[in-house]
Amino acid sequence: MDLKAYLKERCQLVDGALDRYLPREDELPSSLHRSMRYSVFAGGKRVRPILMLAACEAAGGNIDQAMPAACAMEMIHTYSLIHDDLPAMDDDDFRRGNPTNHKVFGEATAILAGDGLLTEAFILLSSPEAGGDLPPRERVAVIQEIARCAGSRGMVGGQVVDMESEGKKEIDLPTVQYIHTHKTGALIKASVKAGAILGGAGEAEVAALTRYGEAIGLAFQIADDILDIEGTTEEIGKDAGSDEARGKATYPAVVGLAEAKRRAAELTDMALAALGPFDAKADPLREIAKYIVYRKS
Amino acid sequence: MDLKAYLKERCQLVDGALDRYLPREDELPSSLHRSMRYSVFAGGKRVRPILMLAACEAAGGNIDQAMPAACAMEMIHTYSLIHDDLPAMDDDDFRRGNPTNHKVFGEATAILAGDGLLTEAFILLSSPEAGGDLPPRERVAVIQEIARCAGSRGMVGGQVVDMESEGKKEIDLPTVQYIHTHKTGALIKASVKAGAILGGAGEAEVAALTRYGEAIGLAFQIADDILDIEGTTEEIGKDAGSDEARGKATYPAVVGLAEAKRRAAELTDMALAALGPFDAKADPLREIAKYIVYRKS
């Protein structure tokens, strides 16, 4: 399959759906809705929604069943980026080459745009539109899965430990593993698992796809750490070597570059193995697993 | 009925449930969970949860059915206070006599504690524990109602317009009305409506209780504006007259004190009229409506 064309097409589908689901810019308060849309449409690759749609299809479902939840996931991801970039947090002026939300709209609106996007995700997840054919019981299960992975025991928790570790001299492997599996891994795992549930997967299939999601979630972040060292600034869209300069907790910093690469490859193998029982409908998930680790940006 | 004793008893019940539902302080990351708990247990009167439980009972339900959602509502209310107090927003050092969250835990942790509490609300709303006997379809409806009222077209929207209005010379009545019905009113209305649904109310009962919730939601905020002028600093726990000093959009500032009082009394009458068809089980709602407008703190 032509993964590049596939990702581009899916990205466009997700963008179109996000545009439909998000409050319009002229809806009051328009400053808030402009701010929310600014960051959602700031060039994201839609990795999490694409994974959710692909998991839904791998389980035999239609992507329409997973589209609202996929967009909700992207809203949660975007809110986390807006808050991460704030002066009190990472204090970043640029993201993907664009000024960060608070640089354009001011800090107060950026905080509230993040709050609005997080809440909008749950509005969408519980909307009649997101229901489709899915029994309400499974809908509640999907909300539970996504909320758990986004909360204080998931992504938010990972962000706190990441922040607390920054600049520390000695960071151990369990801490880096905690940060990676929570800050990035949790939402990626939830995307795949929710997609499986929305696609009508049985218990064993959900478990297999969850293992896939866990493996690529961690692999994705290790690959990011490696890219920060090996990529050029142009390729990765931020200053190369910025993790080391900031004293960030990374895999290569703790286990070395060679071992980090070995571990990323091993996780890819584990992800592919988890897809063993699935037919060709899981091919996009297979290709994405390889792409995540061997990408250049 | 002895409203004071009633409110005290309900407040203790809600506090106990919040303590059970919130992640413990020793759970990782403990700094985050300490910060979340600090603000939840900083002396709130639990107005929204108590209203939800009372609406549930007025509809013939048992308070156990509404307790998880009532606690979720308090988590959302608390997150909004933490974010409102941030330096980029109202920049408050004290709330209810205690140092604000960011003064104790720092800005970054305060932002994330707010994010964590908002997410925790949806974890709780979608948890098996919150299910009870309620059909999943109604559970999704409750999540939808609460999320909508908390989002960019509800509370967050009200906060944005409030912020944008601060210090402006001419604020008109529709703007003040927008701020009040969104920033404070939305969550109060949602508390009553969700309580009605959770108590098994029929369509007409839900509509009547929603009218009650809308009326007291607006009355509550007008009463707050009046208290800021007439109350002593000791009574209201913050500097009396601080709204005027800040150029805040208030009802008395726009329509005058006498008209504001007349309007608050009228809304109380409307709230009581909406309860007309309900029996003695709605007495607490009746007493609360009167208390909200004639309270001294």
Side-chain angles (χ1 to χ4, degrees):
Chain A
M1 66 178 283
D2 181 349
L3 186 70
K4 208 176 149 191
Y6 170 88
L7 294 175
K8 192 180 165 193
E9 185 230 320
R10 285 293 157 101
C11 190
Q12 285 170 346
L13 278 179
V14 171
D15 283 354
L18 279 165
D19 186 43
R20 283 197 307 280
Y21 294 140
L22 280 167
R24 293 196 334 211
E25 295 207 345
D26 57 4
E27 252 193 270
L28 285 177
S30 61
S31 57
L32 176 65
H33 292 134
R34 270 190 288 123
S35 169
M36 286 163 66
R37 281 180 165 263
Y38 172 81
S39 288
V40 170
F41 296 109
K45 295 193 293 283
R46 315 305 184 201
V47 172
R48 290 152 197 80
I50 291 172
L51 278 169
M52 200 187 295
L53 301 179
C56 174
E57 285 187 310
N62 183 296
I63 59 167
D64 293 343
Q65 295 161 250
M67 190 57 93
C71 290
M73 189 58 85
E74 189 69 11
M75 292 176 194
I76 293 174
H77 174 58
T78 306
Y79 116 75
S80 78
L81 299 182
I82 295 174
H83 282 189
D84 277 11
D85 288 337
L86 287 168
M89 311 265 281
D90 284 354
D91 195 13
D92 276 315
D93 292 351
F94 291 92
R95 178 172 289 276
R96 298 185 196 117
N98 299 310
T100 44
N101 195 295
H102 65 272
K103 295 305 277 185
V104 178
F105 298 92
E107 253 183 272
T109 302
I111 293 168
L112 292 163
D115 295 345
L117 282 171
L118 173 55
T119 315
E120 194 67 31
F122 291 101
I123 295 175
L124 185 53
L125 285 166
S126 60
S127 70
E129 193 161 10
D133 301 331
L134 203 72
R137 190 176 307 275
E138 268 76 57
R139 295 185 60 192
V140 175
V142 167
I143 297 172
Q144 172 79 183
E145 174 63 24
I146 292 175
R148 276 194 183 278
C149 288
S152 71
R153 295 180 180 102
M155 182 183 71
V156 171
Q159 173 64 13
V160 168
V161 176
D162 188 26
M163 207 172 66
E164 290 176 348
S165 305
E166 203 159 307
K168 271 193 193 165
K169 271 205 185 117
E170 284 295 321
I171 297 166
D172 54 12
L173 187 58
T175 304
V176 176
Q177 200 123 3
Y178 180 94
I179 295 169
H180 284 10
T181 53
H182 288 72
K183 189 176 171 178
T184 328
L187 279 203
I188 290 182
K189 186 203 86 171
S191 299
V192 176
K193 187 172 175 185
I197 298 171
L198 290 161
E203 216 171 297
E205 282 179 313
V206 171
L209 287 168
T210 303
R211 283 201 305 280
Y212 166 89
E214 278 169 354
I216 60 157
L218 182 51
F220 183 83
Q221 190 53 52
I222 298 176
D224 233 38
D225 292 348
I226 295 170
L227 262 177
D228 188 77
I229 297 170
E230 296 198 325
T232 64
T233 298
E234 196 182 297
E235 278 168 352
I236 60 180
K238 62 174 184 176
D239 289 344
S242 66
D243 289 345
E244 201 187 340
R246 281 184 177 191
K248 277 270 184 195
T250 70
Y251 242 76
V254 174
V255 300
L257 186 58
E259 172 61 16
K261 284 183 177 178
R262 197 198 60 74
R263 183 83 184 127
E266 186 183 78
L267 285 162
T268 311
D269 291 344
M270 283 167 60
L272 294 172
L275 298 179
F278 291 85
D279 64 13
K281 287 202 292 293
D283 280 350
L285 288 180
R286 294 185 177 96
E287 292 301 315
I288 292 168
K290 288 181 245 170
Y291 164 75
I292 272 178
V293 173
Y294 302 110
R295 71 204 149 96
K296 292 269 170 255
S297 66
Chain B
M1 65 179 285
D2 181 348
L3 185 69
K4 207 176 147 191
Y6 171 88
L7 294 175
K8 191 180 165 194
E9 185 229 321
R10 285 293 156 102
C11 189
Q12 285 170 345
L13 277 178
V14 171
D15 284 354
L18 279 166
D19 186 43
R20 282 197 306 281
Y21 293 140
L22 281 167
R24 294 194 336 208
E25 296 207 345
D26 57 5
E27 253 193 88
L28 286 178
S30 62
S31 56
L32 176 66
H33 292 133
R34 270 191 289 126
S35 169
M36 288 164 66
R37 282 180 164 262
Y38 173 81
S39 288
V40 170
F41 296 109
K45 295 194 293 284
R46 317 303 186 202
V47 172
R48 292 151 195 80
I50 290 172
L51 277 169
M52 200 186 296
L53 301 179
C56 175
E57 284 186 310
N62 181 295
I63 59 167
D64 293 342
Q65 295 161 251
M67 190 57 94
C71 290
M73 189 57 87
E74 189 69 11
M75 292 176 192
I76 293 175
H77 174 58
T78 306
Y79 116 76
S80 78
L81 299 182
I82 296 174
H83 282 189
D84 278 11
D85 288 338
L86 287 168
M89 311 266 280
D90 285 353
D91 195 13
D92 276 315
D93 291 351
F94 290 93
R95 178 171 288 275
R96 299 186 193 117
N98 300 310
T100 44
N101 195 295
H102 64 271
K103 294 305 277 184
V104 179
F105 296 93
E107 254 183 272
T109 302
I111 294 168
L112 292 163
D115 296 345
L117 282 170
L118 173 56
T119 315
E120 193 67 30
F122 291 101
I123 295 175
L124 185 52
L125 285 166
S126 60
S127 69
E129 193 160 11
D133 301 332
L134 203 73
R137 190 177 306 277
E138 268 76 55
R139 295 186 61 192
V140 175
V142 167
I143 297 172
Q144 172 77 184
E145 174 63 24
I146 292 174
R148 276 195 182 278
C149 289
S152 71
R153 297 179 180 102
M155 181 183 71
V156 171
Q159 173 65 11
V160 168
V161 176
D162 188 26
M163 208 172 65
E164 291 175 348
S165 305
E166 202 159 306
K168 271 193 192 164
K169 271 208 183 113
E170 285 294 321
I171 296 167
D172 54 11
L173 186 57
T175 304
V176 177
Q177 201 122 4
Y178 179 94
I179 294 169
H180 283 11
T181 53
H182 287 70
K183 190 177 169 176
T184 327
L187 279 204
I188 290 182
K189 187 202 86 173
S191 298
V192 176
K193 188 171 175 185
I197 299 171
L198 290 161
E203 216 172 296
E205 282 180 313
V206 171
L209 288 168
T210 303
R211 283 201 305 282
Y212 166 89
E214 277 167 356
I216 60 157
L218 182 50
F220 183 83
Q221 190 55 50
I222 298 177
D224 232 39
D225 293 348
I226 296 169
L227 261 179
D228 188 76
I229 296 170
E230 297 198 324
T232 63
T233 298
E234 196 181 297
E235 276 168 355
I236 60 180
K238 60 174 184 176
D239 289 345
S242 66
D243 289 345
E244 201 186 341
R246 281 186 177 189
K248 277 269 183 196
T250 71
Y251 242 76
V254 173
V255 301
L257 187 58
E259 172 61 15
K261 283 182 177 178
R262 197 198 61 74
R263 184 82 184 128
E266 188 182 77
L267 286 163
T268 310
D269 291 344
M270 284 168 59
L272 294 173
L275 297 180
F278 290 85
D279 64 14
K281 285 202 293 291
D283 281 348
L285 288 181
R286 294 185 178 97
E287 294 301 315
I288 292 169
K290 290 180 245 171
Y291 164 75
I292 272 178
V293 173
Y294 303 110
R295 72 203 148 97
K296 292 270 171 254
S297 67

